[in-house]
Amino acid sequence: MSETATEEKVTKKAAKKTAKKKTAKKTAKKTAKKAAKKTAKKTAKKTAKKAAKKTTKKAEKKDYKLVVVESPSKAKTIKKYLGRGYQVVASNGHIIDLPKSKLGVDIKENFEIDLVPIAGKKAKIERIQELSKDADEIFLAPDPDREGEAIAFHLKEVIGKKKKVRRVVFHAVTKTAVTKAIENPTELNADMYDSQKTRRVLDRLVGYKISPILWDKVQRGISAGRVQSVALRIIVEREDEIKAFNPEQWFSIHGEMSKDNKLFEIKYYGETATKKNDLTEEKEANQIVSDVKGKDFKVVDVKKRERKQNPTPPFTTSKLQQEAANKLGFTAKRTMMVAQRLYEGIATTDFGTVGLITYMRTDSTRTEPEAMASLRDFIKEKYGDKYLAPNEISHSKKKKEGKVQDAHEAIRPTSLEHTPDKLRGDLEPDEQKLYELIWNKFVSSQMSQAIIDQTAVMYECEGHFFKANGSIIKFAGFRTVYLEAAAEKRSRKGGNDEDEDVKPSGELPLIEVGDTMKAKKDPESLEHWTSPPPRYNEASIVKTLEEKGIGRPSTYASIISNIQDRGYVEKIENRFMPTELGIVVCRMLIESFPDVMDVQFTASVEKLLDKIEDGEIKWKKVLKDFWSGFEKTLEKAKEEMKNLKAQEIPTGIKCHKCDDGEYIIKWGRNGQFLACRNYPDCTSTNDFKKHLDGTIEILPKKWFRDNCPTCGKRLEEKKGKYGRFVRCEEYPKCETTLPYTVDVTCPNCKTGKFAEKKSRYGKIFYGCSNYPDCETAMWTLPKTYDCPSCGHGVMGVRETKRDGKHLQCPKCRFKVPWKETPFASEDDE
């Protein structure tokens, strides 16, 4: 083959190769194009589908009804009941109110009110407005009381007039109650809102007009309140009664009898069998004891009777607060907080999320017919026919001068299926205790009477008469389930309703008239002194406020809380005692504002608020009438109220620090104190106590364990609004002020000490002095002691009825008996 032919062959092969490559490239391009087109189509389809879904979802989202309630927990519960098609949002209480920075009431313009959004509620208002725009229907469902009605009106205002809004009211957060309320909406109650506005404006006028006068005359930061100041007056007047009380001596004579191996007590009754005699002379008591010693006692009368005790009605708000205080040791505030949670809904294992009690702000004892029938069936099934009252008991509350809020039922369980036993483990300890109290009270309210056999035996000896009482429960009836705190106390002490002075001895042996017997233990005389009236506790102050018509049951907790927070009242050993500041402010207010501080006047205002709610009187007329008298009193008080700040009372006591100084009584932010007249040259100050006879006792200073880190002088323990603190003895020359710390090193940061602090609710706790770098805190007094269980270096001092005084580890809760600790002989700081 020639060279040319070979070249041609090679060229042809190369051309074929190039052509194949080109074809492969073209095919690859076509395939890529096709794949890209396919992918693009798929992506477009997906995007279209997503967009369509979004549009559908949006359209679905717009198709809803809006329900606005007060609290988030209630919103959560109601949302579960109503399901799809409903949006439920919480307002978290009031959304608008009078401004804090100014009066907010234009008196000249016929009491026009300036309402502004509450701080921090702007986002909440915008959320409600946003949801309202697309809602088909809007249901306003705040609590069924005056405050709830005001919230409903405020919500309507921020939603706007274009939308149709309806009011729904339910007295229990159950599926039945909520569904029924939504199906039967009502209109907003303007009269109820007017009543709330009147109360709010009256409170604002009193608070914002009187408080500045107190700032000028007493100290900055204190305040007065329309209802709280009257509650303070009740506590101060009780303290005056106690101070003015003169104890009187009296005597009782007790002996012991025995028959058929049964011991029982006899007590001196009088010189006749018909009239009781009080022994006030020791000589007379000793003579009687001498007369009857070793002599025979003759039975002159035996009375037997059967007494029937009726069950009491279910709880009203006031009665719940009283019984929770007496039986559980709860404050009114704690009771209402726990009751609120039980009402709004609890997540339970067997019943889902459900409201366990009916509305807890009520003074009605009424029970709905359906619930009544259910209760009577429950008693019959669980306890039997004999424990069920033969006829339905109507516990209708007698209408006093004030209004009975009968729109709400008594406080009761929402369903008798929700027994306390079935809820055990679902409820917090406080919730379980309060729920059991409400449950037992409700169940007992339709049970049969308790039957009590009572025996009274009268003895005569040497012309002196003695009495023995016996009492047995023949049939427990409703007492099987519930006994009032007062009756329970009497029962424990062995008293009874008829004659509390004669102690019953259970069942007496068979004794007949004419029987003669000698005393197993000869009667002896006991000396007693009459006691002053007791200071108020949580239960008795609530009862007194209710009886005197001051405030409403729903406000008792805040009234008590306010006078404590302002430093006017202290709680010592569970009793309310007015502070020096409280007494002084109370006296000044009574003197300058007799109407505002008058119990009858305050009660009459509550009646006027009820009349406004019933549409009997216009709210602005009430405000005009009040202001016409109050304005004159204000002007007079500005001029005539004495100025405590400027007051200096000489004591005649020589200054302990300088040579020619004399102590004078001055008024400071924490009350009265002794200061040297030579201030500022002499800075000597002392706390003091004034005795009833007017003498002044200088209280010894309490020195802190460490010296002043600035000047080296001693640090003095002081008491302030937020608890104890320490200050240099040279104050104000040396301004060093430090928190009061316990000599226990923080186990976490190893450098800080535990500082004593007071929580916003007035409870003492101990936090590391290195806060906020170290957030270690304890509710109990810390002690350096290694926990035997987990090795934690600090344990807290606790004292309970069950365990007595002991140490408890804050980490693992391990307990160590107090006697086993090295602090057993120490006193707590």
Side-chain angles (χ1 to χ4, degrees):
M1 196 179 280
S2 66
E3 208 173 296
T4 313
T6 308
E7 273 181 21
E8 268 180 32
K9 216 175 181 182
V10 171
T11 308
K12 268 183 184 177
K13 268 185 180 179
K16 264 185 182 179
K17 224 176 188 182
T18 309
K20 266 184 182 177
K21 270 185 182 178
K22 277 182 180 178
T23 310
K25 266 187 182 179
K26 272 183 183 177
T27 310
K29 262 186 182 180
K30 271 184 182 178
T31 310
K33 249 185 183 180
K34 270 184 182 178
K37 267 186 181 178
K38 221 177 186 181
T39 309
K41 262 188 181 178
K42 269 185 181 176
T43 309
K45 257 187 182 178
K46 270 185 183 176
T47 310
K49 262 187 182 179
K50 269 185 184 176
K53 258 189 182 178
K54 235 180 187 180
T55 313
T56 315
K57 231 181 184 183
K58 220 174 186 183
E60 276 176 14
K61 213 174 182 184
K62 279 189 179 182
D63 187 23
Y64 63 81
K65 294 170 184 178
L66 178 66
V67 180
V68 189
V69 296
E70 273 187 54
S71 77
S73 56
K74 199 198 283 188
K76 210 185 275 182
T77 309
I78 290 168
K79 175 65 182 159
K80 284 179 182 174
Y81 294 153
L82 297 175
R84 289 183 71 181
Y86 285 90
Q87 290 276 4
V88 185
V89 66
S91 70
N92 291 58
H94 282 275
I95 51 167
I96 57 176
D97 194 12
L98 293 168
K100 283 194 171 182
S101 56
K102 58 178 182 176
L103 184 66
V105 180
D106 196 334
I107 297 160
K108 290 176 183 174
E109 289 297 318
N110 202 19
F111 298 94
E112 280 302 309
I113 302 170
D114 175 23
L115 294 171
V116 297
I118 293 169
K121 286 292 179 82
K122 197 182 173 189
K124 180 65 68 180
I125 292 168
E126 285 170 0
R127 173 73 178 144
I128 292 166
Q129 286 170 334
E130 189 187 315
L131 286 168
S132 302
K133 278 178 195 172
D134 301 323
D136 296 335
E137 283 183 82
I138 299 168
F139 299 105
L140 304 178
D143 287 347
D145 55 16
R146 284 176 194 162
E147 294 303 315
E149 205 62 34
I151 292 168
F153 268 89
H154 298 160
L155 286 166
K156 186 181 179 182
E157 200 174 302
V158 300
I159 287 165
K161 290 179 182 176
K162 290 177 186 177
K163 285 282 178 184
K164 174 76 175 166
V165 297
R166 307 294 299 277
R167 176 80 163 109
V168 291
V169 172
F170 36 81
H171 303 286
V173 186
T174 62
K175 191 166 187 175
T176 311
V178 171
T179 311
K180 195 177 174 183
I182 295 288
E183 286 169 0
N184 301 282
T186 61
E187 297 304 319
L188 277 77
N189 186 330
D191 290 332
M192 199 183 250
Y193 179 37
D194 286 346
S195 180
Q196 188 273 346
K197 276 191 290 191
T198 311
R199 182 203 62 76
R200 190 73 189 91
V201 172
L202 285 172
D203 289 351
R204 178 54 67 104
L205 290 174
V206 170
Y208 274 49
K209 291 292 183 182
I210 296 180
S211 297
I213 301 173
L214 291 176
W215 298 350
D216 288 342
K217 311 283 185 179
V218 185
Q219 70 181 51
R220 194 159 184 83
I222 63 172
S223 58
R226 182 181 62 86
V227 180
Q228 293 91 326
S229 298
V230 180
L232 172 64
R233 178 177 186 167
I234 290 169
I235 292 169
V236 169
E237 285 180 348
R238 175 56 58 90
E239 198 63 26
D240 290 342
E241 286 176 51
I242 293 166
K243 283 176 182 171
F245 183 80
N246 286 317
E248 291 176 7
Q249 193 182 36
W250 63 281
F251 297 87
S252 62
I253 302 171
H254 305 259
E256 203 173 76
M257 291 287 186
S258 174
K259 188 181 179 185
D260 302 336
N261 293 323
K262 283 186 180 176
L263 288 172
F264 55 97
E265 186 189 58
I266 59 168
K267 187 177 175 183
Y268 173 72
Y269 185 77
E271 295 305 296
T272 70
T274 53
K275 192 181 177 186
K276 201 168 181 299
N277 183 36
D278 293 325
L279 294 170
T280 54
E281 297 293 328
E282 188 176 9
K283 192 178 175 184
E284 186 187 359
N286 290 340
Q287 185 61 53
I288 295 165
V289 169
S290 172
D291 288 348
V292 301
K293 191 173 183 180
K295 303 286 173 59
D296 287 340
F297 285 77
K298 188 180 178 184
V299 178
V300 292
D301 189 27
V302 177
K303 281 181 182 166
K304 291 183 180 179
R305 75 180 186 105
E306 187 180 83
R307 187 168 69 87
K308 290 179 179 176
Q309 192 180 7
N310 291 316
T312 50
F315 282 128
T316 59
T317 305
S318 162
K319 198 67 183 169
L320 176 65
Q321 289 172 358
Q322 291 173 53
E323 286 289 282
N326 284 327
K327 281 179 174 275
L328 308 176
F330 285 10
T331 62
K333 190 175 184 178
R334 184 175 169 190
T335 299
M336 294 310 285
M337 282 168 68
V338 176
Q340 183 87 31
R341 294 201 296 269
L342 293 172
Y343 163 68
E344 288 177 352
I346 303 278
T348 66
T349 310
D350 296 335
F351 311 105
T353 301
V354 64
L356 294 173
I357 63 168
T358 54
Y359 191 54
M360 65 290 156
R361 292 185 181 96
T362 176
D363 54 9
S364 170
T365 53
R366 181 177 60 82
T367 301
E368 290 286 2
E370 195 182 319
M372 178 70 79
S374 173
L375 171 60
R376 290 181 66 80
D377 289 343
F378 175 84
I379 295 167
K380 192 175 181 179
E381 191 181 322
K382 185 170 173 68
Y383 299 98
D385 282 340
K386 65 177 183 177
Y387 282 93
L388 176 66
N391 301 305
E392 191 178 292
I393 303 170
S394 173
H395 294 287
S396 54
K397 198 168 182 181
K398 287 177 186 174
K399 191 156 183 173
K400 302 176 190 172
E401 289 179 58
K403 182 182 178 184
V404 174
Q405 302 286 342
D406 204 49
H408 317 311
E409 285 183 77
I411 304 166
R412 62 168 177 84
T414 53
S415 169
L416 290 165
E417 283 181 36
H418 309 149
T419 64
D421 283 342
K422 284 182 184 174
L423 296 171
R424 211 171 292 282
D426 293 329
L427 302 180
E428 294 293 322
D430 278 7
E431 292 165 353
Q432 184 76 33
K433 287 175 193 171
L434 195 68
Y435 184 67
E436 282 185 15
L437 199 69
I438 293 165
W439 172 277
N440 291 340
K441 189 76 154 69
F442 179 60
V443 170
S444 74
S445 69
Q446 288 298 316
M447 290 179 77
S448 51
Q449 296 171 316
I451 300 169
I452 300 156
D453 270 347
Q454 289 185 329
T455 308
V457 179
M458 190 68 77
Y459 292 89
E460 184 270 330
C461 180
E462 298 297 313
H464 308 296
F465 290 84
F466 288 75
K467 194 176 184 182
N469 269 353
S471 175
I472 59 159
I473 309 292
K474 194 175 176 182
F475 176 66
F478 75 92
R479 291 168 69 119
T480 310
V481 175
Y482 191 87
L483 194 58
E484 294 276 314
E488 191 174 34
K489 197 174 177 184
R490 271 200 303 274
S491 185
R492 281 200 305 268
K493 284 185 173 179
N496 66 73
D497 297 337
E498 192 177 273
D499 186 1
E500 288 187 24
D501 290 333
V502 182
K503 183 182 173 186
S505 310
E507 188 179 8
L508 292 175
L510 184 64
I511 299 170
E512 292 179 357
V513 174
D515 284 356
T516 303
M517 56 183 79
K518 273 192 166 53
K520 171 95 174 169
K521 184 180 172 187
D522 280 326
E524 292 174 352
S525 110
L526 288 175
E527 180 190 40
H528 306 274
W529 290 89
T530 53
S531 304
R535 291 185 178 96
Y536 290 105
N537 58 17
E538 287 279 344
S540 58
I541 190 66
V542 166
K543 189 179 180 187
T544 304
L545 291 172
E546 185 184 33
E547 285 172 353
K548 292 183 181 291
I550 297 165
R552 300 292 308 152
S554 56
T555 62
Y556 298 154
S558 62
I559 290 168
I560 297 165
S561 183
N562 279 337
I563 55 178
Q564 284 179 274
D565 293 345
R566 288 170 180 174
Y568 296 154
V569 165
E570 285 179 327
K571 203 172 183 186
I572 296 166
E573 292 177 357
N574 228 20
R575 297 275 171 179
F576 293 112
M577 277 185 73
T579 60
E580 192 178 3
L581 177 65
I583 292 168
V584 168
V585 168
C586 180
R587 301 247 194 277
M588 292 173 78
L589 290 175
I590 291 170
E591 200 177 306
S592 299
F593 300 96
D595 279 353
V596 172
M597 293 296 286
D598 183 59
V599 172
Q600 267 72 41
F601 176 79
T602 309
S604 70
V605 170
E606 292 299 331
K607 289 171 201 165
L608 287 172
L609 294 176
D610 290 338
K611 283 185 177 179
I612 294 166
E613 188 177 323
D614 292 336
E616 292 175 23
I617 189 170
K618 293 295 175 190
W619 69 287
K620 287 194 175 177
K621 184 188 182 310
V622 171
L623 292 175
K624 279 176 191 170
D625 291 346
F626 171 78
W627 180 253
S628 61
F630 184 57
E631 188 180 21
K632 292 170 194 165
T633 317
L634 276 172
E635 295 309 314
K636 195 179 174 189
K638 283 175 191 173
E639 298 298 319
E640 295 179 10
M641 188 185 272
K642 64 182 175 189
N643 191 337
L644 277 185
K645 280 183 177 178
Q647 196 178 52
E648 294 181 350
I649 305 166
T651 63
I653 301 170
K654 200 174 180 304
C655 177
H656 294 177
K657 201 170 185 181
C658 66
D659 296 330
D660 60 342
E662 177 203 356
Y663 283 124
I664 52 174
I665 297 172
K666 293 189 79 173
W667 188 266
R669 70 172 67 171
N670 296 313
Q672 288 179 314
F673 66 99
L674 295 179
C676 180
R677 190 186 285 283
N678 290 339
Y679 178 84
D681 296 327
C682 176
T683 57
S684 178
T685 60
N686 282 285
D687 292 326
F688 71 95
K689 184 180 179 182
K690 199 169 188 177
H691 295 287
L692 289 173
D693 60 1
T695 55
I696 289 168
E697 179 193 346
I698 295 177
L699 299 174
K701 289 180 183 282
K702 288 184 178 178
W703 302 109
F704 192 57
R705 62 178 180 274
D706 300 326
N707 288 339
C708 175
T710 310
C711 68
K713 296 277 186 180
R714 291 177 298 180
L715 288 170
E716 185 186 350
E717 283 181 29
K718 304 291 283 182
K719 213 173 194 178
K721 188 180 177 182
Y722 302 105
R724 285 191 286 183
F725 65 96
V726 293
R727 192 175 71 188
C728 182
E729 66 175 317
E730 290 297 312
Y731 182 89
K733 284 180 183 175
C734 174
E735 293 186 343
T736 303
T737 304
L738 300 165
Y740 178 87
T741 56
V742 178
D743 195 15
V744 175
T745 305
C746 172
N748 293 329
C749 69
K750 311 289 185 193
T751 56
K753 299 275 187 185
F754 280 98
E756 185 180 286
K757 300 178 181 183
K758 203 180 263 190
S759 75
R760 58 187 289 196
Y761 301 113
K763 193 176 176 185
I764 296 291
F765 72 98
Y766 301 86
C768 180
S769 56
N770 283 339
Y771 179 85
D773 297 327
C774 177
E775 293 185 350
T776 306
M778 291 173 66
W779 285 110
T780 51
L781 178 71
K783 293 282 186 185
T784 306
Y785 192 84
D786 292 339
C787 172
S789 177
C790 70
H792 190 64
V794 169
M795 294 184 83
V797 178
R798 289 198 73 208
E799 189 166 5
T800 61
K801 281 182 183 175
R802 192 176 67 181
D803 299 317
K805 204 169 189 180
H806 61 277
L807 292 181
Q808 188 178 57
C809 177
K811 281 189 90 175
C812 70
R813 304 289 173 199
F814 186 81
K815 294 172 187 174
V816 177
W818 186 253
K819 61 185 175 186
E820 292 178 18
T821 72
F823 317 109
S825 61
E826 291 180 20
D827 290 324
D828 282 2
E829 291 166 61

